[in-house]
Amino acid sequence: MLKQIIEDALNKQIKVEAESSQIYLAMASWAETEGLGGTAQFLYKHSDEERMHMLKLVQYVNERGGKAIIPELVQPAKNYKSLPNLFQTLLDHEIMVSGDINNLVDICLTEKDYTTHNFMQWYVAEQIEEEALARTIMDKLNMIGSDKGGLYLFDRDIESISVTTGATGKV
Ligand code: FEO
């Protein structure tokens, strides 16, 4: 049985992951309307992954005798100034999510809930990977600058951009 404080913290994280999915879905849709088809596909996939992160938490809370709460979500931004602006927003968002995950892990230790602590390790590893990926993308965009040919190639090749130090081995 989950302690109430752990259940509340997990439900808070469910909302964070659901909002992440919504934000990346909005980014994908924006990229698609800007003719950035490769970026759009990358972000649609990223949005699906965030939904999976949410679902994993929902099922864990329910399995442990808690009650997962499916949250109301805020509407994400509709427009981005540029591709670097979009990916900087994504990187900042992932850094914020990492902070949330670390807080949750901290609560697990304080409350001596080692089962949830163990469950959360997957998220800790995932955050290392997601931040690294976002940083790799920003490095590439900074190198490209305003070169149109470079941006064209970036959009074409984004799906093959991956991190080699990823904790789970997937992009
Ligand atoms: Fe589920 Fe990108 O954090």
Side-chain angles (χ1 to χ4, degrees):
M1 195 73 181
L2 287 172
K3 281 188 185 172
Q4 194 60 48
I5 187 171
I6 300 282
E7 184 173 335
D8 291 347
L10 289 167
N11 270 317
K12 217 170 126 196
Q13 195 59 33
I14 286 171
K15 185 171 165 69
V16 169
E17 302 293 346
E19 270 172 354
S20 302
S21 180
Q22 284 288 96
I23 291 167
Y24 300 153
L25 182 59
M27 286 178 170
S29 181
W30 175 83
E32 194 161 56
T33 61
E34 292 290 313
L36 299 161
T39 304
Q41 287 314 310
F42 173 86
L43 290 164
Y44 280 131
K45 206 169 89 194
H46 204 352
S47 171
D48 284 347
E49 277 180 22
E50 297 298 349
R51 186 174 186 282
M52 186 269 285
H53 297 174
M54 176 200 67
L55 207 54
K56 227 170 134 74
L57 283 159
V58 166
Q59 290 167 349
Y60 178 78
V61 170
N62 292 338
E63 255 170 34
R64 296 284 315 280
K67 204 168 173 43
I69 297 166
I70 307 306
E72 187 178 10
L73 303 175
V74 292
Q75 182 174 20
K78 284 183 260 179
N79 293 305
Y80 293 88
K81 284 198 244 16
S82 62
L83 216 44
N85 172 248
L86 182 153
F87 278 106
Q88 186 60 51
T89 307
L90 187 149
L91 173 58
D92 292 344
H93 184 78
E94 287 302 331
I95 291 170
M96 188 207 76
V97 174
S98 296
D100 293 336
I101 298 282
N102 287 343
N103 282 340
L104 220 167
V105 169
D106 210 37
I107 296 171
C108 291
L109 287 177
T110 309
E111 296 299 321
K112 296 188 167 35
D113 184 340
Y114 301 114
T115 309
T116 305
H117 181 269
N118 187 46
F119 169 77
M120 288 309 298
Q121 294 314 300
W122 183 87
Y123 288 85
V124 171
E126 184 71 10
Q127 281 314 118
I128 295 171
E129 199 172 295
E130 294 209 348
E131 274 192 43
L133 178 59
R135 286 201 171 88
T136 303
I137 291 173
M138 277 313 294
D139 287 346
K140 284 190 189 299
L141 285 170
N142 285 332
M143 228 155 42
I144 292 165
S146 56
D147 175 48
K148 286 226 168 14
L151 285 170
Y152 171 81
L153 294 176
F154 171 88
D155 185 63
R156 194 194 64 181
D157 297 340
I158 183 167
E159 290 201 75
S160 63
I161 295 175
S162 66
V163 273
T164 49
T165 54
T168 63
K170 72 175 189 50
V171 179

